[in-house]
């Protein structure tokens, strides 16, 4: 899933599972969520598609320079 999001042109992505739901976070304001989902539908089977795509200005990174998935999960709970 992350591979296809990067192929679409999103520079940084993170996909997490929250309560059995696939949620993809995309670092970009250029793309509309509908266009991202339409693209993914051409590349992936229905069960692999995220239930939600969230676009952010900047994804959080940890001290090692990797995307901080724990912080992302905390943010989605607040939303």
């Amino acid at each position: 899933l992350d591979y296809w999001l990067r192929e679409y042109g999103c520079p940084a992505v993170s996909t997490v599972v929250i309560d059995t739901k696939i949620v993809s976070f995309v670092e970009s304001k250029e793309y509309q969520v509908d266009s991202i989902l339409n693209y993914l539908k051409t590349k992936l089977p229905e069960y692999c598609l995220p239930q939600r795509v969230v676009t952010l200005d900047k994804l959080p990174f940890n001290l090692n320079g990797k995307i901080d998935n724990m912080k992302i999960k905390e943010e989605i709970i607040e939303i």
Side-chain angles (χ1 to χ4, degrees), residues 15-63:
T15 301
V16 295
V17 177
I18 301 172
D19 297 330
T20 70
K21 294 184 179 167
I22 302 171
V23 181
S24 291
F25 292 87
V26 177
E27 184 179 290
S28 177
K29 289 292 184 180
E30 296 175 31
Y31 303 110
Q32 298 292 327
V33 172
D34 291 338
S35 66
I36 293 171
L37 286 173
N38 287 335
Y39 173 76
L40 291 175
K41 286 177 185 177
T42 67
K43 302 296 181 183
L44 297 168
E46 187 72 29
Y47 65 88
C48 290
L49 295 174
Q51 280 77 23
R52 187 167 176 201
V53 175
V54 179
T55 58
L56 300 171
D57 289 330
K58 191 97 173 134
L59 291 177
F61 288 87
N62 62 21
L63 296 175

